[in-house]
Amino acid sequence: MSQYKDQKALKSVLKKYLDQSVSPAERAAVNSWYEGLGKENHDVPALDRQDAAHKLGRSIKIHLNRQILLSGKASPWLLYLKYAAVFLVLLGTGLFTYQKYHFPIKPEQEVTFKSTQHAAKEISLPDGSVVLLNVGSALTLAADFGTHERRVRLTGEAFFKIAKDKKKPFIIKSSILTTTVLGTSFNINAYPDMDRIKIAVATGKVRVARKTAAGEEVLALGMTKDASLTFDKPTGTVNLKTEDASLLSSWKDNKLYLDNATLSEIAKQLERYYHLKVVFSRALDKGKRYTVRFNREPANRVMEILSLLTKAKFTYQTNQITIK
């Protein structure tokens, strides 16, 4: 009920702006809030908390005096259009939450979206594409995104659903790899602290290349459904194979899938999945790899299975996981 009241209160505030039944100062404040949505820090109140509407009000007031000083008298019709855009975006998406962001216009400079260490972040891009960032990940849109091509840079892991546009390829740079598509869905895992970059295709067709001193080397010209590419950063080796792409993106459903991972990689993945510190000695890592999937089993059960599988002892505690 409290969430309903917060959303109702926020809608009421926005409707007042749309009806032009507010003071010039209040209108300028909403103007400022709207302009700030496309900038790098997209701190929009989470409406599943009791004080959400009040926080939005405070965020508007923060910019109030500055906006009054800097803004001249704008056309009432332009103000109406600008607010109408805000209002329709909010209503059309069930209002904003801290986990979703809709980018309604083309960027004029690089824009970076970041997920937190505790929650994934869904982003709707100007071209209609949708990107779900895994925890601890970032996506940067080029300043000219959508002009001739749709170029982005990924750090971490993300699942992409790319809107089709034959004239404007969607290009993702992740470390030294470049993935090019026209319209498809796929997963890229490219965390900087991992030795491997992995790309798995769910639908459509994907091209993957790497940057070299001579220019570019094509690693895969036409990866299709359930094709995966693993690039080993230390050695530069490439492994192409067919496997279930839905497993590799099962993190979207809050499921844990350890894909041919060493103990060191398992430790890093557990840190991201459970949002806990993992105490682990690299001396335990003998290079052996393990593959196992979990379907939201309790943490203690996951530790028990990993202990049996790897012969190391995994212990789950309130504030950390220990491997010894």
Side-chain angles (χ1 to χ4, degrees):
M1 180 62 74
S2 63
Q3 181 179 350
Y4 171 77
K5 287 181 178 178
D6 292 334
Q7 292 185 359
K8 186 176 180 181
L10 182 53
K11 288 180 183 180
S12 176
V13 171
L14 294 175
K15 283 179 180 178
K16 285 176 63 180
Y17 288 118
L18 187 59
D19 294 339
Q20 299 185 8
S21 59
V22 293
S23 69
E26 289 172 320
R27 184 180 293 110
V30 169
N31 224 20
S32 175
W33 170 69
Y34 175 66
E35 293 295 340
L37 291 179
K39 297 180 181 177
E40 189 161 339
N41 293 322
H42 309 290
D43 296 326
V44 181
L47 292 178
D48 55 356
R49 298 203 304 267
Q50 187 173 358
D51 61 345
H54 300 295
K55 287 203 171 187
L56 176 58
R58 287 199 297 272
S59 69
I60 291 173
K61 289 177 182 178
I62 288 174
H63 303 286
L64 182 60
N65 292 330
R66 183 183 64 183
Q67 184 69 11
I68 293 172
L69 291 173
L70 295 179
S71 62
K73 289 188 176 181
S75 161
W77 177 241
L78 290 177
L79 288 172
Y80 176 89
L81 286 179
K82 182 171 289 188
Y83 175 64
V86 179
F87 187 64
L88 290 175
V89 168
L90 287 171
L91 292 185
T93 60
L95 302 184
F96 286 104
T97 73
Y98 71 100
Q99 291 179 317
K100 293 187 178 182
Y101 185 80
H102 287 253
F103 197 99
I105 58 175
K106 290 184 180 180
E108 295 181 358
Q109 58 185 6
E110 276 197 351
V111 178
T112 299
F113 301 90
K114 295 180 180 179
S115 61
T116 70
Q117 297 298 327
H118 302 284
K121 187 182 188 74
E122 182 180 283
I123 308 158
S124 293
L125 300 181
D127 65 334
S129 299
V130 178
V131 181
L132 182 61
L133 290 177
N134 201 351
V135 297
S137 301
L139 184 76
T140 299
L141 273 65
D144 60 351
F145 180 92
T147 303
H148 302 292
E149 58 190 15
R150 298 171 287 171
R151 188 176 292 273
V152 301
R153 185 170 66 252
L154 171 69
T155 302
E157 184 169 21
F159 186 84
F160 295 82
K161 291 182 180 179
I162 303 304
K164 291 184 179 180
D165 189 337
K166 292 182 179 180
K167 295 181 179 179
K168 298 176 181 178
F170 198 103
I171 303 169
I172 306 104
K173 183 178 180 182
S174 48
S175 186
I176 66 170
L177 297 191
T178 300
T179 303
T180 305
V181 300
L182 295 176
T184 184
S185 60
F186 53 96
N187 193 83
I188 298 181
N189 185 317
Y191 283 105
D193 60 355
M194 301 291 276
D195 287 337
R196 300 181 303 159
I197 299 173
K198 187 149 188 174
I199 301 166
V201 181
T203 61
K205 187 177 289 187
V206 169
R207 176 185 184 274
V208 181
R210 69 169 167 178
K211 184 178 180 181
T212 66
E216 183 183 73
E217 176 189 359
V218 176
L219 303 181
L221 187 58
M223 292 170 58
T224 55
K225 179 177 170 57
D226 288 337
S228 71
L229 180 148
T230 302
F231 178 79
D232 188 84
K233 289 188 284 186
T235 65
T237 57
V238 177
N239 182 26
L240 280 164
K241 65 179 181 178
T242 299
E243 56 186 321
D244 188 349
S246 65
L247 287 177
L248 299 171
S249 60
S250 57
W251 59 268
K252 300 190 290 81
D253 303 313
N254 200 30
K255 296 179 181 179
L256 177 61
Y257 178 58
L258 302 175
D259 171 36
N260 196 31
T262 64
L263 273 177
S264 297
E265 292 169 342
I266 289 173
K268 292 171 184 175
Q269 198 163 341
L270 290 177
E271 280 188 340
R272 281 188 272 267
Y273 185 79
Y274 288 107
H275 319 305
L276 291 175
K277 179 181 179 181
V278 175
V279 177
F280 167 73
S281 171
R282 292 188 65 89
L284 291 173
D285 191 345
K286 306 300 181 183
K288 189 173 181 180
R289 295 186 174 274
Y290 308 90
T291 298
V292 61
R293 60 176 173 173
F294 299 96
N295 190 18
R296 303 192 186 103
E297 284 87 347
N300 287 333
R301 177 60 178 160
V302 171
M303 299 304 116
E304 180 183 340
I305 293 172
L306 289 177
S307 297
L308 290 171
L309 178 67
T310 66
K311 309 305 179 185
K313 185 177 181 181
F314 287 71
T315 306
Y316 176 85
Q317 298 167 307
T318 304
N319 59 349
Q320 72 177 36
I321 293 172
T322 303
I323 308 174
K324 60 182 181 180

